[in-house]
Amino acid sequence: MYPRGLTGGGLACASCGAFFVWESGYDRFNGHERPQGGPISAETRFTEPRINDRIRVPEVRLVGPNGEQVGIVPIAKALDLARESDLDLVEVAPTARPPVAKLMDYGKFKYESAMKAREARRNQAHTIIKEIKLRPKIDPHDYETKKGHVVRFLKGGDKVKVTIMFRGREQSRPELGYRLLQRLAQDVSELGFVESNAKQDGRNMIMVIGPHKKKAEAKAEQAEARAQRNAARGEQSAEAETAEAETAEVETAEVEAAEAAEEPRSE
């Protein structure tokens, strides 16, 4: 792979056209400019901190592995301390004067940071808007079913978009849909509030109900309730096993007593 051109501190690959940023200077190789050291992409260069020999400043404010302040030391001494401690010298504040560097196990640090980011993404709560559609002249049983769905959504920390669908002559009586929406909002007032009042949108009337509890709180409560159910189920299983063991012991004792009574007596 030979460079196709030199542009503003980087090289463009002749085969794929990718642009690379090189950290060190250049030397000559077969009439072409060749970077000293390996290629570092622009994204990697600006997102990852510099470590060890990549830190190119005369001195740093050194922080020990346990957070202790060592002070301002020459970069050569900081690298020697890192090698003696079998650790890495990581630049944690490059914009400070002088830059702040810390002694740490960089591989372990990257792994723990990745795990924390993954756990944070897993626990991140996203509010989802659910939708329920009703008719102005809905049957009482169907209304209770739809209301149950709204209650479940609100308990889960999600918003609910309630849509009343008008057909034919029902469009001339929007008050029917308005009263139905007000009734539903009143029935679920303990779990949610009217975030967007009822408004006409063509043949439909729409209202949005928001939950009182945030998504994260709802998920935490659900997890706690699930743990309590599992614990109760485990206690019941333990009690059942104990009862079975006691029953087996009683049956064994009865069988032994019966066998003893049936044995012939010696004369």
Side-chain angles (χ1 to χ4, degrees):
M1 180 183 71
Y2 294 106
R4 186 174 56 190
L6 180 62
T7 308
L11 289 177
C13 175
S15 58
C16 63
F19 183 76
F20 294 94
V21 177
W22 308 97
E23 185 174 351
S24 58
Y26 301 90
D27 60 7
R28 306 292 296 183
F29 177 73
N30 290 340
H32 296 281
E33 297 286 348
R34 184 183 66 179
Q36 296 176 355
I40 302 172
S41 66
E43 181 181 358
T44 303
R45 180 175 182 179
F46 291 108
T47 56
E48 293 188 359
R50 296 188 296 182
I51 63 173
N52 299 329
D53 295 334
R54 292 172 54 190
I55 304 176
R56 302 179 183 281
V57 292
E59 58 185 12
V60 294
R61 186 179 298 275
L62 187 61
V63 180
N66 298 321
E68 65 274 15
Q69 296 291 332
V70 179
I72 299 176
V73 298
I75 186 64
K77 181 178 179 181
L79 291 172
D80 290 340
L81 291 175
R83 282 189 289 268
E84 292 174 0
S85 304
D86 196 18
L87 296 173
D88 298 306
L89 182 67
V90 182
E91 190 179 46
V92 295
T95 58
R97 292 294 179 267
V100 181
K102 185 176 181 179
L103 297 175
M104 66 174 71
D105 186 341
Y106 187 60
K108 181 179 178 182
F109 171 75
K110 287 187 65 176
Y111 174 78
E112 293 177 349
S113 299
M115 290 297 101
K116 290 179 180 179
R118 181 178 178 182
E119 189 68 21
R121 288 194 300 270
R122 182 183 303 170
N123 297 331
Q124 189 175 8
H126 298 281
T127 301
I128 303 174
I129 298 181
K130 305 288 186 176
E131 185 174 9
I132 291 292
K133 295 183 178 181
L134 309 174
R135 294 294 307 280
K137 298 179 180 179
I138 188 173
D139 182 81
H141 177 72
D142 293 339
Y143 172 79
E144 292 298 327
T145 301
K146 298 286 187 178
K147 186 181 72 173
H149 293 326
V150 175
V151 169
R152 177 164 52 87
F153 294 149
L154 293 176
K155 285 184 177 180
D158 296 320
K159 297 181 181 180
V160 183
K161 177 184 177 182
V162 186
T163 303
I164 304 294
M165 301 180 297
F166 296 96
R167 293 180 182 176
R169 296 181 180 180
E170 293 175 350
Q171 300 181 49
S172 62
R173 302 193 61 187
E175 66 276 5
L176 295 177
Y178 182 79
R179 285 201 295 265
L180 182 59
L181 291 177
Q182 295 301 314
R183 174 188 173 189
L184 179 61
Q186 183 64 29
D187 291 344
V188 299
S189 58
E190 294 183 358
L191 300 173
F193 63 96
V194 177
E195 185 175 290
S196 178
N197 292 321
K199 61 181 179 180
Q200 193 77 21
D201 184 14
R203 294 185 179 183
N204 300 328
M205 183 175 288
I206 300 173
M207 180 181 70
V208 178
I209 303 176
H212 289 310
K213 296 180 180 179
K214 296 182 179 180
K215 184 77 172 181
E217 296 176 358
K219 289 183 66 176
E221 290 184 357
Q222 291 176 355
E224 184 178 356
R226 192 181 304 112
Q228 291 178 356
R229 289 196 300 269
N230 293 337
R233 194 178 296 114
E235 292 178 357
Q236 292 177 358
S237 300
E239 292 176 357
E241 292 176 359
T242 303
E244 291 178 359
E246 292 177 354
T247 303
E249 291 178 359
V250 172
E251 292 177 353
T252 302
E254 292 177 352
V255 171
E256 292 177 352
E259 292 177 352
E262 292 177 356
E263 291 180 357
R265 298 179 180 178
S266 58
E267 295 180 357

